[in-house]
Amino acid sequence: MLLAPLTVSAMVVGIAQSIKEGLTRTRNAIFSRIAGLLGASEVTAATWEELEELLIQADVGVETTLHLVERLRRRASAEAIIRADALQAALREELRALLPSPSPLNLGNRPLDVILVVGVNGSGKTTSIAKLAYFYRQQGRRVLLAAADTFRAAATDQLSIWAERAGVNVITGAPGGDPGAVIFDSLQAARARGMDMVIADTAGRLHTQYNLMAELRKVRRVAAQNVAGAPHETLLVLDATTGQNALSQARHFLEAVEVTGVILAKLDSTAKGGMVFAISRELGLPVRFVGTGEKIGDLAPFDPDAFIAGLFDET
Amino acid sequence: MFESLTDKLQAVFKRLGKRGVLREADVDEVLREIRLALLEADVHYKVVKDFIARVRERAVGAEITKSLTPAQQVVKIVREELVKTLGEPGRLELKGPAPYVIMLVGLQGSGKTTMAAKLARYLRHNGHFPMMVAADTYRPAAITQLEVLGRQLEIPVHSEGPSVPPPRICANGIQEARRRGCDVVILDTAGRLQINQEMMRELEEVKRTVKPVEVLLVADAMTGQEAVNVAAGFHQQVGLTGLILTKVDGDARGGAAISMRSVTGVPIKFLGTGEKTDALELFHPDRLASRILGMGDVLTLIERAEAAFDAEQAARLEQKLREATFDLEDFLEQLRQVRKMGPLTQILDMIPGLGRLAQSISPEVTDRQFKHVEAIILSMTPEERRNPRIINSSRKKRIARGSGTTVQEVNALLRQFRQMQDLMKQVGKGKKGLRGMLGMFG
């Protein structure tokens, strides 16, 4: 009788732990310095300059940093903030305001959900997909993977090995074949096998490669033609170590295939993931998941409060 | 995406007017812009700080050369310092007894496996007999990926099961290279975080075992501020001899290169510029400096042109130019060659001052335009292509119908062609050849 609540609690703790671990280094490296900086002392000219540098160093980006610092300055004078610790609370609020709580994922309202996963080369798509498959399988979903990266050598083999670890099946195509055909086959197979979710891997492509972006649009069309409203979620995988180019990536993929959310991969590195603020501010794209390690369970739903609290945590 | 730094500085100096000597206040205003531009390009903030201090020292009180505006003068100093910071042009140091071992290291997803194949192909092209060793036993199917690339390029790959320790695989690989008579061995190691001590120790052990002549850090050009920690981490623990920047064909400014070079002091050797295995360029500091500053990259453009146009074709075109017999057939041929050089927006981006133009046109529109022009020319008779002057209005109607376009479009093409012919004649007279022809863009 206690099994269900215990399992659920354990899961919640596990998720919280996983996101915390992923953020530990971020915390130690950068934001604890902000916390220290904004500790008990008074706000001086140097405070502002250092604050600016620390945000820049977290890959928050020049524009968003200047925006944040400007807003804080205005608040500091309007609200007569003279102590740095009060400024820290204000900064938290401003950062939080840049990450509005997203509406729930558009999944689970129909017989077959289709998730399309896109991103530049090496961002971590294949690994993220395997983790995603595992995540939804744990929730009782019947997941099928579509190996639509027919370009990179052995990409299909890589996904197949991961699929085995995640305990799901994968539909593959011929190397160099048409990725649209793989999607088509996968959707047919999903229906025939009574699956309720298809997650599609796609070849990594730089967002500046026009032809490859056109190909991606075609993949999307094939999904739409075979399942009403598909893809229901199109997730862009961003490498947390990426700098200002992440914004350009998000903008181009959004334009080409109507990205609906972001998976922030490799947050277990020393990287800070600060570009997420600019992406949310300028494009309104929510972060949906964070990748926190190399194991199949190292994926957690993005929690903006935990993310920001983690940034400031001093321990 | 980014406003060119040169443009920004021009605006600053327009306000200041012309003066004989660079004053401190002028320089400071300019340096603020440069600082922001470098930060936007992902150069590490500490590296930016040092850099700005050096430029400031040189710029304050510098005499302004008559031929340069103050903005140009500052940009010149910035550029020179940037080139100095970026170091010498890249080359591999293959010294001592063969086989020479090249070890590729880096984070996950930086592009090591693809780079191994590119390097192997490059080395074979330069008269070596390379072999690749699949030492990534962690990432699923990484071994298969390298084997597939090896088969495609017909370059031998040494691989063992995923349960064999990588240092042993590497040692065995070198034995195998000796047996086969290969003189260069490229080790593809697993991606790892520089803070993962266990994995870093494995790299140290590989290095101790195989004594590589080169240990190259493969890093993504899109890396942010973290580039400093990554490069420093790998350098301290494994000892690097060089850097390779990958995915340079995107629109990242590549400021991470400056950060990594500054923090390690080792040279940048190669740039990865595309997904295909021939997309590898030797590093040129002056070109990357121009790119980081948003000043265009004419040299790369010329190189690409020379790769896309084969020498024979180029000679034939030059001949036609001199004889003024360049016709629409040649025009079509040339159009197709330009397309081979990459998307037009990317080409424009490399030309100084045209970066803005590149932003204003969509690749989609130019792609369609290319297709229309091709269709129009293909709907002409061979005689019409050789002698467009005979194209009267009834011929135009036929061509428009045949190509699914309009008479206006046919007219526009013929007008463009005439303008080009005029230009060609001038170029032909000046005997500037291929490089002159490229001048038509700017």
Side-chain angles (χ1 to χ4, degrees):
Chain A
M1 226 169 80
L2 278 172
L3 202 61
L6 273 179
T7 315
V8 171
S9 325
M11 248 178 73
V12 171
V13 171
I15 290 166
Q17 207 54 37
S18 145
I19 192 166
K20 228 179 143 141
E21 277 164 19
L23 284 171
T24 305
R25 294 180 193 100
T26 305
R27 227 159 39 214
N28 290 345
I30 298 299
F31 280 88
S32 66
R33 281 178 54 200
I34 294 190
L37 172 73
L38 299 180
S41 62
E42 280 185 12
V43 177
T44 65
T47 314
W48 296 111
E49 200 176 304
E50 269 185 67
L51 183 62
E52 193 181 299
E53 272 174 359
L54 287 165
L55 288 170
I56 291 276
Q57 205 194 341
D59 284 322
V60 171
V62 172
E63 225 181 293
T64 306
T65 295
L66 295 180
H67 162 85
L68 279 167
V69 171
E70 182 52 37
R71 282 191 64 94
L72 279 178
R73 270 180 187 279
R74 244 183 278 155
R75 280 186 63 170
S77 73
E79 297 165 26
I81 298 175
I82 49 160
R83 288 176 59 83
D85 50 356
L87 201 61
Q88 181 185 328
L91 176 61
R92 266 176 205 253
E93 284 171 25
E94 293 297 335
L95 285 168
R96 186 63 183 82
L98 291 180
L99 299 176
S101 295
S103 52
L105 283 156
N106 177 28
L107 298 172
N109 317 315
R110 57 188 74 79
L112 181 60
D113 282 326
V114 180
I115 304 177
L116 186 65
V117 180
V118 300
V120 301
N121 317 63
S123 57
K125 282 175 299 305
T126 306
T127 309
S128 295
I129 285 163
K131 292 176 183 173
L132 213 52
Y134 181 76
F135 177 83
Y136 281 113
R137 208 181 71 100
Q138 296 295 99
Q139 298 191 355
R141 302 293 307 262
R142 297 171 54 79
V143 182
L144 184 69
L145 297 182
D149 179 355
T150 54
F151 179 80
R152 181 162 61 89
T156 298
D157 303 72
Q158 188 183 349
L159 189 65
S160 300
I161 294 169
W162 272 116
E164 212 179 292
R165 290 183 195 169
V168 300
N169 285 321
V170 56
I171 301 294
T172 61
D178 175 18
V182 178
I183 300 289
F184 180 84
D185 290 348
S186 304
L187 297 177
Q188 300 294 319
R191 285 210 174 96
R193 300 180 191 180
M195 297 288 154
D196 60 15
M197 178 180 274
V198 169
I199 306 176
D201 191 11
T202 59
R205 64 203 73 215
L206 290 184
H207 48 292
T208 49
Q209 288 163 333
Y210 168 67
N211 290 339
L212 292 179
M213 293 304 270
E215 179 197 88
L216 205 52
R217 275 197 290 272
K218 190 191 155 201
V219 166
R220 193 174 196 284
R221 270 200 306 279
V222 171
Q225 279 159 6
N226 289 280
V227 177
H232 308 100
E233 288 285 345
T234 301
L235 301 177
L236 171 69
V237 180
L238 290 176
D239 183 334
T241 48
T242 304
Q244 296 316 295
N245 196 248
L247 185 60
S248 177
Q249 289 174 26
R251 190 174 281 132
H252 281 83
F253 276 101
L254 179 64
E255 244 168 55
V257 290
E258 296 169 44
V259 168
T260 55
V262 168
I263 299 177
L264 190 58
K266 310 185 201 177
L267 201 58
D268 54 325
S269 67
T270 46
K272 294 96 190 160
M275 76 284 194
V276 158
F277 293 103
I279 287 169
S280 175
R281 183 166 92 96
E282 290 192 28
L283 305 175
L285 274 182
V287 183
R288 293 299 193 171
F289 293 95
V290 292
T292 56
E294 294 195 273
K295 288 191 292 293
I296 191 95
D298 292 337
L299 181 86
F302 178 71
D303 174 350
D305 290 313
F307 184 72
I308 291 173
L311 299 178
F312 280 96
D313 207 337
E314 275 181 89
T315 49
Chain B
M1 196 107 323
F2 300 99
E3 200 184 344
S4 136
L5 180 62
T6 321
D7 289 350
K8 274 188 188 169
L9 298 183
Q10 294 290 5
V12 172
F13 275 100
K14 219 171 255 170
R15 281 207 307 279
L16 294 171
K18 283 193 175 172
R19 292 195 189 86
V21 173
L22 286 173
R23 292 183 323 160
E24 212 167 324
D26 307 348
V27 172
D28 279 342
E29 179 154 4
V30 173
L31 289 182
R32 253 198 303 281
E33 293 294 338
I34 292 172
R35 175 173 172 267
L36 290 181
L38 290 175
L39 288 173
E40 272 173 0
D42 287 324
V43 184
H44 191 259
Y45 83 97
K46 273 188 193 146
V47 176
V48 172
K49 224 175 194 172
D50 294 346
F51 182 81
I52 294 292
R54 281 208 307 279
V55 173
R56 191 169 191 284
E57 201 170 303
R58 273 190 61 186
V60 174
E63 284 285 333
I64 293 174
T65 320
K66 274 211 178 99
S67 56
L68 297 176
T69 66
Q72 286 169 335
Q73 181 84 10
V74 177
V75 169
K76 185 165 169 275
I77 295 172
V78 170
R79 205 175 170 289
E80 282 168 9
E81 282 297 325
L82 211 50
V83 170
K84 219 194 290 171
T85 308
L86 286 169
E88 62 272 35
R91 51 179 306 188
L92 286 174
E93 299 287 341
L94 303 180
K95 288 182 300 205
Y100 313 113
V101 179
I102 300 172
M103 192 172 156
L104 300 182
V105 302
L107 296 180
Q108 291 93 338
S110 61
K112 285 174 298 301
T113 307
T114 307
M115 186 49 66
K118 287 182 180 182
L119 276 180
R121 183 175 173 160
Y122 167 85
L123 286 163
R124 186 180 58 191
H125 187 76
N126 285 284
H128 289 282
F129 298 93
M131 187 173 109
M132 300 189 282
V133 173
D136 178 357
T137 54
Y138 302 89
R139 179 163 61 93
I143 296 171
T144 320
Q145 188 184 351
L146 196 70
E147 284 170 346
V148 171
L149 289 168
R151 263 201 304 281
Q152 282 169 4
L153 295 172
E154 296 177 344
I155 287 169
V157 173
H158 174 82
S159 61
E160 298 179 36
S163 53
V164 184
R168 200 154 90 217
I169 297 177
C170 293
N172 291 343
I174 289 158
Q175 288 304 319
E176 163 115 20
R178 283 211 180 90
R179 255 199 314 280
R180 282 171 171 255
C182 295
D183 65 340
V184 186
V185 183
I186 300 166
L187 309 180
D188 178 31
T189 66
R192 65 201 75 210
L193 295 172
Q194 81 279 7
I195 46 170
N196 185 331
Q197 289 178 354
E198 197 185 321
M199 291 292 281
M200 292 306 279
R201 265 199 297 277
E202 179 197 285
L203 280 187
E204 286 169 55
E205 198 187 328
V206 170
K207 192 184 173 189
R208 252 200 326 275
T209 314
V210 304
K211 308 214 166 22
V213 292
E214 292 273 16
V215 181
L216 305 175
L217 176 70
V218 180
D220 189 324
M222 300 180 282
T223 311
Q225 297 281 315
E226 204 42 33
V228 158
N229 295 333
V230 173
F234 273 95
H235 194 43
Q236 277 157 20
Q237 295 172 78
V238 192
L240 303 171
T241 61
L243 307 166
I244 296 179
L245 212 57
T246 60
K247 306 177 208 173
V248 178
D249 49 326
D251 58 353
R253 276 294 168 82
I258 302 180
S259 304
M260 293 190 294
R261 157 84 193 166
S262 298
V263 76
T264 61
V266 300
I268 302 164
K269 306 224 166 182
F270 291 97
L271 305 178
T273 56
E275 296 197 35
K276 302 217 176 79
T277 46
D278 61 350
L280 182 73
E281 284 173 14
L282 273 170
F283 169 70
H284 297 280
D286 42 348
R287 297 184 195 180
L288 193 66
S290 295
R291 182 186 170 124
I292 289 166
L293 290 173
M295 289 167 70
D297 185 356
V298 183
L299 291 172
T300 302
L301 182 67
I302 290 169
E303 243 173 37
R304 272 212 211 172
E306 282 171 349
F309 292 71
D310 69 61
E312 210 173 292
Q313 269 175 339
R316 202 155 43 82
L317 279 174
E318 289 215 24
Q319 176 82 13
K320 291 200 166 195
L321 283 175
R322 268 197 290 277
E323 294 166 3
T325 56
F326 189 85
D327 61 24
L328 275 168
E329 297 257 10
D330 304 315
F331 180 58
L332 181 65
E333 195 180 317
Q334 206 203 327
L335 209 66
R336 287 175 172 166
Q337 302 297 343
V338 170
R339 283 192 82 176
K340 266 206 281 186
M341 288 167 58
L344 189 62
T345 42
Q346 217 184 68
I347 297 171
L348 291 176
D349 223 11
M350 287 189 268
I351 303 170
L354 291 193
R356 276 241 174 114
L357 186 62
Q359 288 156 31
S360 66
I361 58 173
S362 88
E364 223 160 310
V365 172
T366 54
D367 197 55
R368 209 163 47 226
Q369 201 62 40
F370 271 128
K371 281 190 189 133
H372 283 190
V373 169
E374 204 174 328
I376 291 171
I377 298 176
L378 290 174
S379 298
M380 294 176 181
T381 64
E383 202 194 343
E384 286 166 344
R385 289 181 215 168
R386 279 194 296 271
N387 187 10
R389 236 164 298 174
I390 64 165
I391 300 176
N392 56 23
S393 60
S394 85
R395 282 177 192 259
K396 277 178 197 166
K397 267 186 219 152
R398 193 205 75 240
I399 293 165
R401 250 198 330 274
S403 57
T405 59
T406 62
V407 172
Q408 282 82 359
E409 277 178 272
V410 177
N411 274 331
L413 168 67
L414 291 172
R415 203 166 44 239
Q416 257 177 347
F417 178 68
R418 267 197 307 277
Q419 281 171 5
M420 191 174 190
Q421 260 181 329
D422 291 343
L423 206 106
M424 292 295 166
K425 275 178 200 148
Q426 290 166 18
V427 173
K429 274 179 205 146
K431 294 197 175 134
K432 281 183 203 155
L434 187 59
R435 280 165 203 241
M437 262 166 55
L438 283 163
M440 76 190 179
F441 287 113

